[in-house]
Amino acid sequence: MKYIEKKMSAPLMSCILTILVLVSMYLIMGYAPFGGKTIAAMDANIQYLDFFAYLKNVLLGKDGINYSYTSLLGGSNISLVSYYLMSPLNLLVIFFKKSQLGIFFNLIYLLKLALAATTMTYFLKKVTEDKLSHAFSVILGICYALMQYNLAQGSNIIWLDGVYMLPLILLGVHYLVVGKKSVLLSVAVGCSIIFNWYTGGINCLFAGLWFIFELILQTKFSSDELIKGFKKCIYFVLNMLLGVMLSAFIFIPAVVALGDGSRNQMDWAVLTNTFRGNVLSLVERYIIGGQSDATGVSLFSGSVVLLGVVAYFFLKKVSVKKKITTLLFGIVVVLTLYWQPAYFVFSLLKQVDSYWCRFSYVAIAFLIYVAAQFYIEYEKSSFYKYGLVGIASIYSVAEIVMHRHDLTWNVISSIIFCIVIATLLTVPKRKWTNSLALVLVIIELIVSAYPLLKFYSYADNQSFASYELQVEKQVNELKQYDSSNYRVTQTSPRGVMDDGIVANYNEGMAFNYWSISSYVSSQSRTQLDILNSLGYRSEQDRITVVNSPIISSDALLGVKYIFSRYPVNGLTKINKLGTYNDKATYENRYAFPLAFIGDGKAVNTQGDWSTFVYQNRLFNNLYGKDIDLFQTVGYKQSINGNNIKYKLTLPVGSYALYGNIIWAKNMNAVLGVNNKANIGYAKWLSPSVFYIPTKSGDKSATVTLTSSVNGLAIANQEYYALNLDKLKLVSEKVNKNAVPVSFSKKSMAIKVASTKKNQYLYLAFPKDKSWKITVNGKVVVPKTYANGLMVIPLERGTNNLRLTYKVVDQKLGILITVIGMLSVGMLFYINKRWR
């Protein structure tokens, strides 16, 4: 061990050991590139793989026309970049094919955990002034890397940047408190916010608490010390402000976009003076493979951390002041995990209902710090000889009592590891025990990691690679077939469940085609409103369910092609194009152009709960007279317990049949559609409007809904037939008035002649603050139709329009960042001179 210490620094050793452990886990569990699996839960994993594919397109300059305005993504594009794509490690994606993104995902996960081990080890060595031994620095660094949080949040690797940046921020705070001249705090805060503003915000909040904690530990109660403490408070605020300034180039535009997004309101309703669960569950869940949920948190990071934290408070050489301060700070940390107001603050004033607990890594960092303080003194033999064994015994009894009704293997193995490690650390002659303790800790963490990685893993990277290759072929084939400008959607994206439920709507980004659907955490409110009014239901203000074509809605939005596993009345299969992933390419021949001239201004707001009634009004306006594309379909209903059956009387003619059942509460139901399909309904991520397959000559159709809860909760229902002949008439008129659009990366140029007054240019693009629109050189503010699409009044004669898409306040953010960099540079120079 001493030979290794001479040859290798503790941070480097912890980094290498973490990599070796994870590579070993990959081999054991068959993860890519050694096998077929990818770390992370399926839904989040696939979203990130699409984001990485999009980033690769951008880095290679193959993203075509700016996706942010050609899709319906709109201003939330900056939210996408700032939240998901700013980690510097993401740049490595350029070295991987899209079919290898599962391998890339695992590599990034490995590197971030290795960085976490490195920064924590470095922090412990510096904050203890190298009093903590090489061995224990490495052990605790690995405990941080392989803690429960990192294993459970493998599906959200964007949050792991905050994990490896936290120790550097805390070290910067420590330097400030002890009076060491450094710009580390400002730089670390800035980088943390840049890499991921969400965990950057959490780190900043915890840095504030940590500053108070360290200030109390280091400050003596005298007038001089209090004055120095006040000055340090000012320095801390200034350093934090400088850190925010460094990130301003991305942070300010992101904040502005969030303010205009669908989730721009703070969820004050959840701010209640309540506890989220029993605080004792911290002990109960401190076991191998422990998991967090809505009512409890697992902080498992190894027995060596638990033993060190408890034993710290029994050290004779540690002052009562330090023990009380540490205990009180620990109580504050626990309150952030269980007391709703504190939990709400560390959730950045938003309600969270998944991925528990999103900030528990800060609590584990505190535990590791306290454990390090113990192991400094422990190695000086100032601790009770059998104290660690006693603590392990008490822990064992507590776990047995708490799990007495469910004494599983992971509880028993946790007890065994804890007792063995405690006994090993108690052995008087410790020339070899540190090395053996390190081995045992690693084994314990591996045993804990195995069930968690298995639980959170995406099953099959090889089928993902096959899917990627086939989509690439399908999209390229379509672009060769039709090189004009249009949008594309599909009925069954990657990851779709048997009942049609899916959360993955970012394949347009990944494969560089213009889509109408996307998923980001803070979605464009305008996009959600447009699609919701056209029948595509939104879920929790962040995603729109687009998995069953509504032909008229798609036509209005310029959706010309659909990749579908099944035929739809009104769509024409393109036989010359191949079938990929069981999806053929269908054409919507009623598709509107992306820009056209019309008289008057069409209907804007919905004004009716029925999307079909609303669309009739909208298309009547666009056509210039009443044509009523949708007609009601009569039905009879019968109820039998939790089952309701609708028998529909079908009209004669060319039509596509649709239904919409409005539910008062989620029923977790199954919808049987004309004996052709069973789809999830009235549940998370289910559609509202649904297509009912029929054949020519059918006189009736049936729809059945079966609720899996006690009773039906139906508020309303409607069935309508879309008259395809009438839709064709509207489409033909609109296409006669089509206007060509010249696209570039950040702008659109349109030249259009208006022959009379009160003519408008209708665009299939959402209104957004990022647009700068000029008509004949004059800036104009667009009006809207269809709940948010742009419509621009025209002047009689020639109109030269230019629409430029710019990120709001980006120049301001860049200016502030430059000022911040100059300020930090000046501070660094001054500090260097003072030294």
Side-chain angles (χ1 to χ4, degrees), residues 176 185-186 211 215 226-242 827:
L176 188 151
L185 178 58
S186 298
F211 171 74
L215 190 63
L226 291 176
I227 292 173
K228 289 180 182 179
F230 180 73
K231 290 180 179 179
K232 289 174 182 179
C233 291
I234 296 175
Y235 295 153
F236 173 77
V237 172
L238 290 176
N239 273 269
M240 296 296 289
L241 180 60
L242 281 176
L827 182 61

Side-chain angles (χ1 to χ4, degrees), residues 416-685:
I416 293 173
F417 271 109
C418 190
I419 292 175
V420 171
I421 291 174
T423 304
L424 184 62
L425 294 176
T426 306
V427 175
K429 296 180 180 180
R430 292 194 291 271
K431 292 181 179 180
W432 51 272
T433 54
N434 285 349
S435 298
L436 185 55
L438 174 60
V439 172
L440 278 178
V441 167
I442 290 176
I443 293 174
E444 179 188 35
L445 292 171
I446 289 176
V447 172
S448 180
Y450 182 84
L452 290 172
L453 289 179
K454 189 174 182 181
F455 179 79
Y456 291 110
S457 291
Y458 173 53
D460 193 350
N461 184 57
Q462 292 173 345
S463 64
F464 165 80
S466 173
Y467 183 95
E468 296 279 300
L469 292 171
Q470 292 192 56
V471 176
E472 289 275 9
K473 291 179 182 179
Q474 188 167 32
V475 172
N476 290 335
E477 193 176 66
L478 176 59
K479 289 181 177 180
Q480 291 177 5
Y481 173 79
D482 187 346
S483 59
S484 64
N485 300 314
Y486 49 81
R487 292 193 174 108
V488 179
T489 188
Q490 59 175 314
T491 59
S492 51
R494 178 180 49 227
V496 67
M497 305 294 183
D498 292 337
D499 61 356
I501 300 300
V502 66
N504 307 305
Y505 288 101
N506 289 318
E507 288 189 28
M509 295 183 202
F511 301 105
N512 194 24
Y513 62 81
W514 303 351
S515 175
I516 64 171
S517 56
S518 62
Y519 175 91
V520 290
S521 292
S522 181
Q523 189 61 271
S524 163
R525 165 55 64 187
T526 304
Q527 171 182 328
L528 293 175
D529 289 345
I530 293 168
L531 293 171
N532 192 62
S533 65
L534 293 174
Y536 290 123
R537 171 179 168 265
S538 61
E539 185 73 81
Q540 287 201 350
D541 289 333
R542 70 191 75 180
I543 189 171
T544 302
V545 180
V546 181
N547 55 14
S548 179
I550 305 173
I551 294 175
S552 56
S553 304
D554 290 350
L556 179 72
L557 297 172
V559 176
K560 192 175 181 181
Y561 297 101
I562 293 93
F563 301 140
S564 178
R565 291 182 176 176
Y566 55 85
V568 176
N569 290 358
L571 300 182
T572 304
K573 184 178 181 180
I574 307 175
N575 291 314
K576 66 184 300 183
L577 298 182
T579 299
Y580 301 90
N581 296 314
D582 297 325
K583 291 180 282 190
T585 303
Y586 291 82
E587 182 178 2
N588 182 351
R589 294 183 176 176
Y590 311 101
F592 287 17
L594 297 179
F596 61 91
I597 295 178
D599 297 329
K601 190 168 80 71
V603 170
N604 183 27
T605 55
Q606 185 168 349
D608 194 286
W609 74 271
S610 169
T611 186
F612 306 117
V613 174
Y614 163 71
Q615 287 201 45
N616 275 343
R617 292 170 49 233
L618 176 60
F619 282 91
N620 288 349
N621 273 238
L622 291 172
Y623 190 58
K625 58 182 180 181
D626 291 350
I627 192 170
D628 288 344
L629 299 184
F630 287 94
Q631 64 185 82
T632 57
V633 173
Y635 62 88
K636 293 182 179 180
Q637 69 181 48
S638 57
I639 299 175
N640 182 15
N642 285 355
N643 177 279
I644 183 169
K645 181 176 182 180
Y646 300 93
K647 185 172 183 180
L648 284 58
T649 303
L650 303 185
V652 177
S654 179
Y655 60 86
L657 188 63
Y658 295 95
N660 187 15
I661 301 173
I662 307 299
W663 56 90
K665 64 179 181 180
N666 281 1
M667 295 180 284
N668 197 28
V670 174
L671 193 68
V673 185
N674 207 21
N675 299 316
K676 298 291 180 62
N678 292 314
I679 61 176
Y681 203 73
K683 62 186 292 188
W684 166 250
L685 289 175

